[in-house]
Amino acid sequence: MIAFEHVGKRYGGRFEALANLDFRVRRGEMVFLTGHSGAGKSSLLRLIMRLERPTRGRVLVAGHDIDRLHPTQVPFYRRQIGVVFQDHQLLFDRSIFHNVALPLEIQGIEPREAARRVRAALDKVGLLHREKALPIELSGGEQQRVGIARAVVNKPALLLADEPTGNLDPQLSADIMTLFEDFHRIGTTVMIASHDLALITRLRHRTLRLHDGRLVADEEAA
Amino acid sequence: MSRDAAPARGARTHRTTAGSRWRGWLRHHRAMCLDSARRLLVHPLGSLMTMLAIAIALVLPAGLWLTLDSARLLDAELEQSATLTLYLEHGIGEDEARRLEATVAAEAGVAGTRLVTAAEGMAEFQQALGLSDALHRLDENPLPASIVVRPRDPSPEVVRAQAERLGELAGIDEVRLDLAWLERLRHLAALGQRVILALGVLFGLGVLLVVGNTIRLAVENRRQEIEVVTLIGATHAFVRRPFLYSGAWFGLGGGLLACGLLVLGRDWLSAPVTALAASYGANFRLPALGMEGSAILLACSTLLGWLGAWITVSRHLAGIRPR
Ligand SMILES: Nc1ncnc2c1ncn2[C@@H]1O[C@H](COP(=O)(O)OP(=O)(O)OP(=O)(O)O)[C@@H](O)[C@H]1O
Ligand SMILES: [Mg+2]
């Protein structure tokens, strides 16, 4: 599903945020991405989303070199990926419902069908009763879950999450991870960047460890 | 990975028929059309200011164009009345004069003739100048008889050639054609047309700038929203759409205001202009915009608003990169 071929990424010409990354993620796999702050986890995910382009090597998704995508194709490519952002990226002037509905609106999904899917996604993250609230009225953890609902509302084939449990208490973190595992179980490829080593170790999935932009460990689940 | 090369699962869950995509597209257009109108109404005063600025930029060229258009009508009327006057030699009697008139009437390119005998000429002259007393004191009528010729083709070159030809007929003393003023008027009209075109272009640019500036602020205000929707797969067209509708609404509003201003201006000026024209013996009325004119003005202003928004949003989208 995802293949990094000797990928390097420099910001501003000098600083090497990622160096010589070479790995593959199979379709339907669930992978954790760890590393210290600044190790390059977000950068790696941004490469997959084509928010950044590699300065070296190739990133292939579903067999296609995404650097070769024409700019007009990029939006359609992004619609195939569900992303949970480190900083939520919610719209603060819209209700929870409309935030989650945004990807469907962009794709022109019929409103009734969209509403059904939005409610299903909100139900999964346990926020169905807050659908009319504005993001500002929600706690950080709840906002994070809205972000997750928005990422999965489209039933994407590939799910990327950048610190999805960053603001959650241990119980909620575990619940959210279970949610990701559910998606993994129905065939979604899932890639999660996280600091939460305790949780990662407990969940026993393949783990990629970054250090200063290099892949220092690629451990299959025991 | 293009649309058709989507990952297998994605391809299944995202399958949409052309029909449903088309409906979705229409739905978004409708939604954005209404949403942008609603946003205008949220800041009524600010929106009104923008529209007024657009209206002011439109009123001048539109008003001048109307005036010129009616001047063109006047011009056509004047051409209709373009005539040659053939003054007959002194001492030619009325019978002789009638014969001459028949000869002239038979000439090619002559649409009509009218004989003005010396006495009639005198009467007209007196009436026009109101000098009856002074002229009555003259013993002898100093005016010659004349034939007024209405040429078939009133264009100056043709008329001039005709004048030369007719002047060679026996018994014709002098041919008078007063084309200079007609030509002057025509040059003036051409000049006016160019001035209005230039003004139209300049003020059209002004409208683009006004709309562009307003839309630029709107884009800045909604920057975060643009970034987010871009992150989750919105196309440029999708992002642009609400702003294009805003621009079109601004243009339409400005156009409507301009129509209103033109109507007011016409009411304001029409009495003195008609009176002025009447004092020159002309029957000139200030032109009204009319249905067709209003439609053209509104279409132009809406299009300008849309275009201004398009240029601005396109320029700014390039600068907005999701974080
Ligand atoms: N747009 C950018 N311009 C310049 N440098 C950047 C940019 N984005 C990231 N970096 C740098 O690249 C390195 C990796 O950043 P990245 O955000 O990928 O780290 P991270 O592993 O996600 O860290 P964290 O756990 O704190 O989120 C950092 O040193 C950061 O300063
Ligand atoms: Mg990060």
Side-chain angles (χ1 to χ4, degrees):
Chain A
M1 185 69 168
I2 304 172
F4 273 58
E5 295 181 349
H6 306 286
V7 172
K9 174 67 189 172
R10 282 168 188 275
Y11 288 109
R14 288 188 299 127
F15 174 72
E16 199 148 48
L18 294 171
N20 201 26
L21 290 181
D22 205 64
F23 64 88
R24 264 156 213 284
V25 174
R26 288 184 305 279
R27 192 180 294 277
E29 222 179 338
M30 179 151 171
V31 182
F32 282 114
L33 192 60
T34 70
H36 61 89
S37 181
K41 304 183 291 295
S42 298
S43 301
L44 192 155
L45 295 180
R46 289 172 66 85
L47 282 175
I48 299 174
M49 292 167 62
R50 205 179 182 276
L51 285 170
E52 303 288 353
R53 301 170 80 157
T55 38
R56 209 182 260 265
R58 297 199 301 166
V59 178
L60 293 106
V61 177
H64 293 263
D65 181 351
I66 57 169
D67 199 41
R68 305 254 293 268
L69 281 179
H70 191 269
T72 56
Q73 292 177 316
V74 170
F76 298 97
Y77 167 71
R78 289 200 186 128
R79 291 177 192 181
Q80 318 286 338
I81 308 175
V83 186
V84 182
F85 297 93
Q86 195 164 5
D87 47 0
H88 318 329
Q89 300 276 14
L90 300 179
L91 296 181
F92 286 89
D93 59 346
R94 289 182 198 215
S95 69
I96 301 309
F97 179 92
H98 282 111
N99 265 283
V100 177
L102 205 54
L104 304 176
E105 193 186 314
I106 287 172
Q107 292 179 42
I109 306 283
E110 193 261 324
R112 243 177 322 138
E113 165 72 3
R116 198 183 60 72
R117 288 203 219 167
V118 170
R119 300 227 162 80
L122 279 174
D123 195 28
K124 277 202 195 99
V125 296
L127 284 176
L128 191 51
H129 60 294
R130 303 301 307 270
E131 65 171 353
K132 295 207 173 63
L134 291 174
I136 207 80
E137 297 162 6
L138 267 50
S139 73
E142 286 171 325
Q143 289 182 16
Q144 188 74 286
R145 280 144 70 197
V146 175
I148 294 170
R150 189 184 63 191
V152 302
V153 72
N154 213 10
K155 303 207 186 84
L158 173 60
L159 190 54
L160 305 177
D162 200 348
E163 305 285 356
T165 59
N167 292 308
L168 306 182
D169 63 51
Q171 180 53 48
L172 258 178
S173 301
D175 288 353
I176 292 298
M177 284 304 179
T178 309
L179 190 65
F180 284 126
E181 285 189 310
D182 288 346
F183 277 98
H184 162 56
R185 212 160 289 128
I186 59 166
T188 309
T189 311
V190 184
M191 195 163 191
I192 304 169
S194 178
H195 283 126
D196 196 343
L197 283 177
L199 192 61
I200 291 171
T201 330
R202 196 149 50 73
L203 287 174
R204 303 167 155 292
H205 288 287
R206 181 179 167 198
T207 304
L208 300 172
R209 194 181 311 279
L210 290 177
H211 186 88
D212 282 342
R214 280 163 209 284
L215 189 60
V216 291
D218 182 352
E219 298 147 356
E220 284 295 339
Chain B
M1 177 162 60
S2 65
R3 235 177 306 179
D4 43 63
R9 249 184 45 81
R12 187 167 53 78
T13 53
H14 294 275
R15 182 174 301 139
T16 45
T17 64
S20 81
R21 210 175 304 147
W22 163 247
R23 277 196 299 280
W25 184 83
L26 270 185
R27 198 160 39 236
H28 190 246
H29 266 277
R30 201 168 48 230
M32 288 304 105
C33 182
L34 295 177
D35 181 66
S36 54
R38 196 179 48 74
R39 277 172 198 272
L40 292 199
L41 295 179
V42 170
H43 304 287
L45 207 66
S47 306
L48 198 67
M49 299 281 246
T50 304
M51 290 177 186
L52 206 57
I54 295 170
I56 290 168
L58 290 173
V59 156
L60 193 62
L64 283 176
W65 179 75
L66 269 181
T67 315
L68 190 84
D69 205 44
S70 64
R72 233 196 327 267
L73 283 180
L74 200 67
D75 185 38
E77 216 168 89
L78 286 170
E79 274 192 355
Q80 282 305 307
S81 67
T83 50
L84 293 169
T85 308
L86 312 182
Y87 293 98
L88 308 188
E89 284 166 5
H90 271 285
I92 286 190
E94 199 163 328
D95 290 347
E96 177 74 21
R98 290 211 186 284
R99 225 172 303 120
L100 254 173
E101 186 197 359
T103 320
V104 171
E107 283 278 318
V110 173
T113 56
R114 182 167 70 91
L115 179 68
V116 181
T117 60
E120 283 167 352
M122 191 62 181
E124 273 180 23
F125 193 57
Q126 280 174 354
Q127 204 191 351
L129 296 180
L131 297 174
S132 49
D133 290 351
L135 290 173
H136 264 308
R137 261 172 251 130
L138 293 173
D139 300 335
E140 201 189 332
N141 186 350
L143 295 178
S146 58
I147 301 173
V148 179
V149 176
R150 192 154 48 77
R152 221 179 279 283
D153 179 354
S155 59
E157 309 78 48
V158 176
V159 175
R160 197 169 285 126
Q162 201 162 35
E164 241 160 71
R165 237 175 325 107
L166 293 175
E168 281 159 18
L169 288 174
I172 306 286
D173 180 31
E174 193 190 344
V175 179
R176 176 81 46 86
L177 77 168
D178 210 358
L179 285 174
W181 59 273
L182 201 60
E183 257 170 66
R184 236 173 259 147
L185 198 69
R186 199 173 273 174
H187 291 319
L188 217 59
L191 178 67
Q193 244 158 4
R194 285 190 183 204
V195 168
I196 286 170
L197 197 65
L199 278 179
V201 169
L202 278 178
F203 282 76
L205 274 176
V207 172
L208 289 185
L209 289 178
V210 169
V211 173
N213 196 44
T214 308
I215 296 295
R216 185 178 59 77
L217 292 175
V219 170
E220 275 311 313
N221 281 336
R222 295 173 72 181
R223 194 186 185 92
Q224 197 240 348
E225 182 181 344
I226 294 174
E227 286 175 2
V228 171
V229 296
T230 309
L231 278 176
I232 57 182
T235 56
H236 273 15
F238 182 94
V239 172
R240 250 195 307 257
R241 206 160 290 147
F243 298 109
L244 296 188
Y245 272 107
S246 298
W249 282 123
F250 278 128
L252 185 65
L256 283 171
L257 282 176
C259 285
L261 286 178
L262 284 173
V263 169
L264 280 181
R266 180 173 184 271
D267 280 357
W268 178 244
L269 296 178
S270 86
V273 166
T274 311
L276 186 69
S279 79
Y280 278 102
N283 180 23
F284 179 76
R285 305 176 130 272
L286 270 184
L289 196 54
M291 284 298 276
E292 198 187 335
S294 310
I296 292 174
L297 182 61
L298 290 181
C300 285
S301 67
T302 308
L303 206 67
L304 276 175
W306 181 89
L307 189 66
W310 198 89
I311 294 170
T312 313
V313 177
S314 299
R315 248 170 44 93
H316 278 74
L317 275 190
I320 295 181
R321 268 174 52 87
R323 274 169 290 113

